[in-house]
Amino acid sequence: MALYGFNPDSKFVHPLPVQRDALEAMDRTDRSGVVVLPCGSGKSFLILSQALKKMNTLILCYESQGVLQIRDMILRETTWPPALLHAFTHELRGEAPAEEASIVVTTYGMFSASLERRAKETGLVSSSIFKKKWDLMLLDEVHHAPAKTYEPFIRSLLPNVARVLGFTGTLSRELDSAHIEAIRTGRKTREECVESMFRFLTPESSLPLVLFERTLSDMEQDGAVAKVTVARVETPMTPSFAAAYAMCGGITQKYIAMVHPNKLKVLHAIVHLHAARGDIGVIFCDHLFPVRIVSEMLGPSWGVLSGSTTGSDDAARHSAKANRLIIEKFNRKELAGVIVTSVAESAVNFDHEAFQWAALVDGHGGDAASAQKIGRLSRTPLLARKKGENDTALAARQRAM
């Protein structure tokens, strides 16, 4: 039974069938585990639903944008008291959470620094986070949890956490040399190696790590998410750029490959092809260098979502708050599109029906990052439940699209 609930007019009052199935799977047990659902299938609803059932919940997000998104949804969609909700990012500071009850939303990186630096930067808040007894810890984008910078922080919290629930669109990580060797010699499968990286989240090593899972293919067949067509466009370099590429190495060579003239011409053509159809789109660039080049090429009708570097001159322009305003403009179709860096890609909700395409200019984040990018297209308001629509009518309309 939830301590608090959703507001009567909340969009979460009538969850989708897959959301109810996932919720039932989590509620059938009190053990820790992971829920794997594709982007666009409504993991935010699951996070809020679980948080409302406990007195003390810690929610960890990958980015500041995700913290603001979760905080705003709790304030807008639920009856949880605002005084018992605390959000912390490098841009958003506040008082230590209450002892008796609270929901705390922050990033993996906020308290992952060394003990000395942690105490200097976050003071009493940090002390409260580590000493507090948590009924529940919710890990958004849990595929980031085994990262070397985050795993020690999460492990340090586990003795004071009753239950851990992780949520991700893809339970995938880049494998290290030991795992690759184990696969090569047949001692483990790739799936076993990946699961072993997340085992520290739950002590029940003999039980399945995944509590509930639906694949993108399953969701597409049911019509619950949009079907995404993926195409690879190869663009040969011009002779001068090919020569420069052969002469260079390291990051310079990567930069040349990212923004050589033929690639930019193709990207420009794709942008104008979709603009003629009335579509708006998203361009993903993992590095800031191609972001600047592509932004200059496309002009001010395109926004840029990026993270800020502490103390940089453009910190305010690329803060989580500034990014949120850009997303709102995109969702009102006041922009032709947005260029998104890896810093801002996983906690972004693009909700306009005209959002019909995305392009990856450069991508080096592995399978999980690629799935996150492609998953932005899977979410569309065209598939959302209409007012008064029951499950049967919704499913029929989704399958027909």
Side-chain angles (χ1 to χ4, degrees):
M1 178 66 69
L3 294 170
Y4 296 92
F6 293 108
N7 293 324
D9 59 347
S10 169
K11 64 180 180 180
F12 296 127
V13 169
H14 301 291
L16 297 172
V18 68
Q19 293 172 323
R20 286 201 299 270
D21 292 344
L23 203 58
E24 290 171 4
M26 288 185 286
D27 290 344
R28 280 197 296 268
T29 179
D30 59 359
R31 66 184 180 87
S32 299
V34 174
V35 171
V36 183
L37 281 173
C39 295
S41 54
K43 291 187 289 294
S44 296
F45 162 79
L46 300 178
I47 291 174
L48 266 62
S49 294
Q50 292 299 323
L52 294 173
K53 296 176 182 179
K54 301 295 181 180
M55 292 296 292
N56 289 291
T57 299
L58 176 63
I59 304 175
L60 298 182
C61 303
Y62 179 53
E63 301 162 350
S64 297
Q65 190 69 42
V67 173
L68 295 183
Q69 180 179 306
I70 294 293
R71 181 201 64 179
D72 291 350
M73 281 194 292
I74 293 174
L75 292 173
R76 184 179 63 247
E77 306 289 346
T78 81
T79 60
W80 185 269
L84 300 181
L85 174 63
H86 305 271
F88 300 104
T89 70
H90 288 294
E91 302 160 7
L92 188 65
R93 304 294 177 91
E95 298 180 355
E99 286 295 327
E100 64 276 10
S102 60
I103 292 177
V104 173
V105 193
T106 187
T107 64
Y108 291 103
M110 183 65 184
F111 302 100
S112 295
S114 66
L115 289 174
E116 179 181 355
R117 179 182 166 198
R118 185 188 298 150
K120 177 191 281 188
E121 290 188 349
T122 58
L124 292 175
V125 173
S126 176
S127 177
S128 175
I129 295 291
F130 283 88
K131 292 180 179 179
K132 193 175 178 68
K133 297 293 184 181
W134 299 102
D135 299 316
L136 182 63
M137 180 162 67
L138 302 173
L139 305 179
D140 192 20
E141 312 294 353
V142 72
H143 53 274
H144 294 293
K148 291 181 180 179
T149 51
Y150 301 147
E151 184 176 335
F153 162 60
I154 296 172
R155 282 184 180 273
S156 68
L157 291 169
L158 291 178
N160 288 332
V161 177
R163 188 186 191 192
V164 180
L165 291 173
F167 303 85
T168 182
T170 171
L171 197 65
S172 178
R173 292 287 300 175
E174 293 300 302
L175 301 178
D176 57 25
S177 57
H179 285 123
I180 293 173
E181 179 64 16
I183 295 171
R184 189 188 68 80
T185 57
R187 288 182 286 117
K188 286 186 177 181
T189 65
R190 179 180 177 83
E191 289 72 21
E192 289 171 336
C193 287
V194 170
E195 182 167 316
S196 69
M197 300 171 75
F198 295 87
R199 268 298 169 189
F200 74 95
L201 297 174
T202 172
E204 302 96 344
S205 58
S206 61
L207 297 174
L209 173 69
V210 177
L211 300 178
F212 183 83
E213 181 175 13
R214 289 291 301 276
T215 67
L216 181 60
S217 176
D218 292 337
M219 299 284 285
E220 286 182 343
Q221 289 179 8
D222 292 343
V225 297
K227 294 181 174 66
V228 179
T229 301
V230 180
R232 179 186 179 94
V233 181
E234 296 188 3
T235 53
M237 295 183 188
T238 60
S240 59
F241 270 70
Y245 181 87
M247 293 170 59
C248 299
I251 191 63
T252 302
Q253 192 176 59
K254 290 182 179 179
Y255 283 162
I256 292 172
M258 290 173 196
V259 294
H260 64 83
N262 285 342
K263 177 181 281 189
L264 293 177
K265 287 179 182 177
V266 170
L267 180 61
H268 191 266
I270 291 172
V271 168
H272 283 272
L273 171 68
H274 283 280
R277 298 174 177 174
D279 302 336
I280 54 178
V282 174
I283 297 173
F284 291 100
C285 299
D286 283 354
H287 297 79
L288 288 176
F289 177 72
V291 168
R292 296 189 185 101
I293 300 296
V294 173
S295 179
E296 290 177 6
M297 178 181 74
L298 298 179
S301 64
W302 280 71
V304 176
L305 295 179
S306 179
S308 64
T309 302
T310 302
S312 64
D313 292 337
D314 64 346
R317 185 161 60 91
H318 293 304
S319 67
K321 182 178 179 180
N323 284 339
R324 182 171 56 177
L325 295 176
I326 293 172
I327 295 168
E328 289 173 358
K329 290 181 68 175
F330 179 92
N331 287 334
R332 294 193 298 265
K333 205 181 178 183
E334 295 175 6
L335 294 172
V338 290
I339 304 163
V340 183
T341 69
S342 57
V343 177
E345 73 186 21
S346 62
V348 178
N349 290 333
F350 300 121
D351 294 328
H352 200 286
E353 295 180 1
F355 173 39
Q356 294 288 321
W357 69 278
L360 280 64
V361 172
D362 73 295
H364 307 282
D367 294 341
S370 296
Q372 287 288 91
K373 295 180 176 82
I374 295 171
R376 298 302 106 195
L377 273 169
S378 298
R379 177 197 295 270
T380 170
L382 293 172
L383 296 174
R385 187 190 302 274
K386 295 182 178 180
K387 188 174 182 179
E389 192 172 41
N390 61 29
D391 287 350
T392 302
L394 172 63
R397 182 171 58 82
Q398 288 176 333
R399 286 193 293 269
M401 293 185 66

